[in-house]
């Protein structure tokens, strides 16, 4: 059997062309969406009197057979069929004859591929959102246990102010909430049906695009057919959403790598999610976070690649656009496995409370508190308070202790206006809990953040 489009050709296609031109090797992933789309299209054609009941029934039966053959690996994928759309249509026609040849009425591969690919992107948007919620829940559970576990909060990777570990985890949970919302908003915007747009201009056949849209779970048909077969911004949104989420994940991955080093020792990754060295028997490596950090790169690449493919293309469909799929599949698969494995890593790691709290005694974390004390209690102007605190820090350095370990007498000797209650102000826990402003790190404010996010997860679970 020649190519479906071979009517006007007198020579056969070269096999080199097949190799270069075909998308079948990768777009076969879309088979279930292609079949679903065809069934909805056929149902509509039947309802509109374009296909007889018999023809429609033949198509339904034939497609069931095709689906069975693909899922049991019996289906013969032949690269000369070019893509999944033609491969399925050819097999259908072999199975049921003429009715198969009528399926493509009022349809083109241009709206067909726009439909299949959009169905794929929408379905995986839902899978990714579900996995984000699972991860957010893990952060919530972990945060609840650690609203009093203190660690040094950092800027420039230098000890800055004491925070609690729950608060730190809630920062990541907040990023993932926004990631979720980005996916959700993309889903809503793009949940419209491309099918029935045909090649680029619509069709003279009396089709019903509302019916196919509804049948396929879309809110409505797209507005303009020329746009619909031309654009891939729904895939670009997916790629951007994944890239941004992976950027967030890479920052946590980096912290996990640092925290599991002997220098930090803040967490211990479980053996199940660590790897060994082939030569150094003592080693336990954080390969999973490293790969999460590394894989972020390819998701950026996929985004930039498709943006570049789409740049400057004249309307409507151009074959360049076949390059939309592999990168999108790759980003989607990377996002899905990354979310799942990160969730496991977080759930199974050990938080080394003592190491974190020990680290709070390094770096004079309560220096800002001393300056604040001098301003509030002693009515010293902030610049002067800053200067006096610098003296106190230098004194502690000389003595080889942390600022929080100086005695009331020592502090009084540095500045006579200081009373004994200063010692309490300089304790690390006091410093953390003093940051009790909205969104701050105090145990109470962290608990409020957890509560709010828990509420949000609950809403998303039912919605
Ligand atoms: N395999 C093509 C793709 O993935 C399907 C659409 C082809 N349409 C066309 N008119 N050649 O983009």
């Amino acid at each position: 059997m020649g190519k479906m489009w071979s009517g006007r050709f007198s020579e056969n296609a070269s096999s080199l062309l097949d190799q270069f031109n075909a998308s079948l090797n990768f777009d076969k992933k879309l088979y279930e969406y292609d079949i679903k789309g065809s069934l909805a299209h056929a149902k509509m054609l039947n309802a509109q009197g374009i296909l007889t009941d018999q023809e429609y029934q033949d198509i339904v039966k034939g497609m069931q057979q095709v689906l069975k053959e693909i899922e049991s690996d019996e289906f013969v994928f032949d690269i000369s069929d070019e893509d999944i759309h033609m491969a399925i249509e050819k097999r259908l026609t072999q199975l049921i004859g003429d009715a198969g040849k009528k399926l493509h009425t009022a349809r083109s591969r241009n709206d067909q591929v726009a439909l299949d690919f959009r169905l794929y992107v929408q379905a995986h948007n839902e899978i990714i959102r579900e996995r984000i919620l699972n991860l957010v829940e893990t952060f919530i559970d972990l945060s609840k246990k650690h609203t009093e576990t203190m660690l040094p909060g950092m800027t420039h990777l230098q000890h800055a102010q004491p925070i609690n570990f729950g608060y730190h985890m809630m920062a990541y949970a907040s990023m993932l909430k926004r990631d979720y919302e980005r996916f959700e908003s993309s889903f809503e915007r793009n949940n419209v049906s491309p099918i029935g747009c045909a090649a680029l201009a619509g069709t003279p056949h009396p089709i019903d695009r509302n019916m196919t849209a509804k049948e396929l779970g879309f809110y409505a048909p797209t507005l303009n057919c020329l746009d619909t077969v031309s654009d891939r911004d729904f895939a670009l949104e997916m790629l951007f959403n994944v890239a941004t989420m992976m950027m967030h994940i890479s920052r946590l991955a980096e912290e996990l790598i640092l925290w599991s080093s002997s220098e930090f020792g803040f967490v211990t990754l479980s053996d199940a999610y660590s790897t060994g060295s082939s030569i150094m028997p003592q080693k336990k490596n954080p390969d999973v976070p490293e790969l999460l950090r590394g894989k972020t790169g390819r998701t950026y690449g996929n985004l930039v690649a498709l943006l570049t493919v789409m740049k400057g293309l004249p309307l409507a469909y151009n074959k360049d656009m076949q390059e939309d799929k592999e990168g999108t599949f790759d980003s989607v698969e990377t996002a899905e496995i990354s979310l799942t494995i990160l969730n496991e890593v977080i759930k199974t790691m050990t938080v080394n409370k003592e190491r974190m709290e020990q680290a709070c005694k390094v770096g004079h974390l309560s220096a800002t508190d001393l300056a604040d004390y001098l301003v509030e209690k002693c009515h010293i102007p902030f610049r002067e308070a800053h200067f006096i605190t610098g003296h106190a820090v230098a004194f502690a350095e000389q003595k080889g202790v942390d600022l929080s370990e100086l005695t009331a007498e020592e502090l009084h000797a540095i500045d006579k206006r200081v009373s004994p209650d200063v010692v309490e102000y300089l304790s690390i826990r006091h410093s953390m809990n003093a940051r009790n402003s909205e969104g701050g790190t105090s145990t109470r404010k962290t608990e409020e953040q957890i509560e709010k996010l828990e509420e949000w997860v609950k809403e998303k679970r039912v919605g």
Side-chain angles (χ1 to χ4, degrees):
M1 198 165 164
K3 302 260 189 215
M4 288 195 189
W5 39 252
S6 66
R8 59 106 67 211
F9 288 77
S10 48
E11 263 183 81
N12 284 336
S14 84
S15 68
L16 184 60
L17 172 95
D18 282 342
Q19 249 185 66
F20 188 68
N21 193 42
S23 53
L24 186 58
N25 281 340
F26 50 87
D27 70 12
K28 59 181 166 198
K29 242 190 215 6
L30 297 175
Y31 76 88
E32 56 171 305
Y33 306 109
D34 196 74
I35 292 174
K36 215 174 134 187
S38 285
L39 288 175
H41 184 64
K43 189 171 179 178
M44 181 278 293
L45 292 178
N46 176 230
Q48 297 300 101
I50 301 168
L51 286 180
T52 66
D53 291 350
Q54 187 58 53
E55 287 165 338
Y56 172 57
Q57 280 157 25
D58 288 350
I59 288 172
V60 172
K61 259 185 70 191
M63 280 300 194
Q64 281 166 352
Q65 176 65 20
V66 171
L67 184 66
K68 214 187 85 195
E69 289 178 8
I70 295 177
E71 294 196 326
S72 62
D73 275 338
E74 283 162 54
F75 193 95
V76 185
F77 286 102
D78 176 356
I79 198 171
S80 71
D81 288 335
E82 202 175 316
D83 56 31
I84 188 66
H85 323 296
M86 292 205 284
I88 288 179
E89 194 186 317
K90 185 181 89 180
R91 180 66 187 136
L92 180 76
T93 304
Q94 281 172 354
L95 287 167
I96 66 169
D98 281 349
K101 294 185 187 163
K102 288 193 176 176
L103 174 62
H104 213 51
T105 313
R107 186 174 79 168
S108 149
R109 269 187 300 154
N110 297 349
D111 60 339
Q112 196 178 357
V113 72
L115 170 69
D116 294 3
F117 195 32
R118 190 178 296 238
L119 285 171
Y120 169 89
V121 166
Q122 292 292 84
H124 286 274
N125 181 307
E126 291 191 302
I127 294 171
I128 290 172
R129 273 188 285 147
E130 170 74 23
R131 293 190 192 184
I132 294 176
L133 285 187
N134 294 341
L135 184 55
V136 169
E137 268 174 347
T138 297
F139 283 127
I140 289 175
D141 291 344
L142 187 61
S143 297
K144 278 184 182 168
K145 290 186 203 137
H146 291 287
T147 56
E148 299 192 28
T149 305
M150 290 182 308
L151 80 165
M154 308 221 183
T155 63
H156 313 269
L157 198 61
Q158 307 284 333
H159 287 201
Q161 289 175 345
I163 59 177
N164 71 71
F165 186 63
Y167 181 67
H168 200 123
M169 290 296 100
M170 286 301 289
Y172 284 112
S174 307
M175 295 173 217
L176 282 158
K177 171 180 181 277
R178 287 195 302 282
D179 292 331
Y180 180 101
E181 288 167 342
R182 256 186 294 277
F183 281 104
E184 185 178 47
S185 130
S186 295
F187 183 94
E188 296 293 320
R189 183 170 28 265
N190 295 311
N191 202 35
V192 279
S193 171
I195 195 70
C197 280
L200 73 160
T203 170
H205 297 283
I207 59 168
D208 180 354
R209 291 189 63 208
N210 279 303
M211 179 180 165
T212 38
K214 222 168 143 198
E215 189 71 23
L216 291 165
F218 291 113
Y219 300 145
T222 56
L223 183 69
N224 175 287
C225 290
L226 186 59
D227 165 47
T228 304
V229 292
S230 301
D231 213 342
R232 292 292 182 267
D233 55 352
F234 64 93
L236 285 167
E237 284 190 36
M238 170 58 95
L239 290 171
F240 174 77
N241 295 342
V242 167
T244 305
M245 181 184 78
M246 288 302 293
M247 175 275 292
H248 287 149
I249 287 178
S250 77
R251 298 184 70 173
L252 173 59
E254 167 69 6
E255 297 207 304
L256 292 176
I257 294 161
L258 288 171
W259 289 346
S260 60
S261 69
S262 350
E263 281 69 22
F264 279 82
F266 287 2
V267 300
T268 309
L269 302 182
S270 80
D271 284 355
Y273 293 99
S274 303
T275 49
S277 156
S278 57
I279 175 168
M280 298 165 281
Q282 84 283 12
K283 289 212 66 181
K284 188 169 149 181
N285 294 328
D287 286 27
V288 173
E290 285 172 324
L291 276 171
L292 290 169
R293 188 176 60 182
K295 281 176 188 293
T296 303
R298 66 200 285 162
T299 68
Y300 294 5
N302 293 332
L303 170 61
V304 174
L306 185 56
L307 279 170
T308 311
V309 166
M310 297 305 295
K311 176 183 176 295
L313 287 186
L315 306 187
Y317 180 83
N318 299 271
K319 190 75 170 197
D320 315 45
M321 290 158 65
Q322 181 167 286
E323 292 290 313
D324 59 1
K325 287 172 209 61
E326 287 158 291
T328 306
F329 293 158
D330 182 65
S331 279
V332 162
E333 284 160 24
T334 300
E336 288 176 359
I337 192 162
S338 296
L339 285 165
T340 305
I341 198 157
L342 176 58
N343 196 6
E344 291 308 314
V345 168
I346 301 287
K347 271 192 197 161
T348 55
M349 75 184 184
T350 312
V351 177
N352 303 327
K353 244 170 136 157
E354 295 71 30
R355 285 295 296 255
M356 287 186 183
E357 298 196 345
Q358 200 59 35
C360 291
K361 293 194 186 132
V362 178
H364 316 290
L365 294 183
S366 50
T368 317
D369 299 82
L370 178 54
D372 287 341
Y373 174 92
L374 295 170
V375 169
E376 267 174 49
K377 301 269 166 169
C378 315
H379 311 292
I380 297 173
F382 182 76
R383 275 291 149 234
E384 197 190 335
H386 190 287
F387 191 76
I388 298 166
T389 305
H391 268 310
V393 167
F395 179 79
E397 289 270 311
Q398 249 174 16
K399 206 187 152 195
V401 297
D402 188 67
L403 183 67
S404 61
E405 293 167 319
L406 293 183
T407 63
E409 294 72 36
E410 286 166 335
L411 288 157
H412 188 74
I414 290 166
D415 196 289
K416 299 281 168 270
R417 289 166 286 188
V418 162
S419 14
D421 66 347
V422 69
V423 169
E424 193 210 322
Y425 275 79
L426 296 195
S427 95
I428 300 298
R429 193 166 298 280
H430 184 278
S431 168
M432 176 189 84
N433 280 322
R435 283 163 181 77
N436 197 36
S437 55
E438 178 94 28
T441 192
S442 71
T443 295
R444 197 154 65 80
K445 289 297 168 190
T446 303
E447 282 163 359
E448 278 177 28
Q449 293 160 38
I450 295 172
E451 237 169 77
K452 279 187 192 157
L453 201 65
E454 226 175 359
E455 216 33 62
W456 175 82
V457 172
K458 228 189 266 163
E459 266 169 41
K460 293 300 157 191
R461 287 277 190 218
V462 295

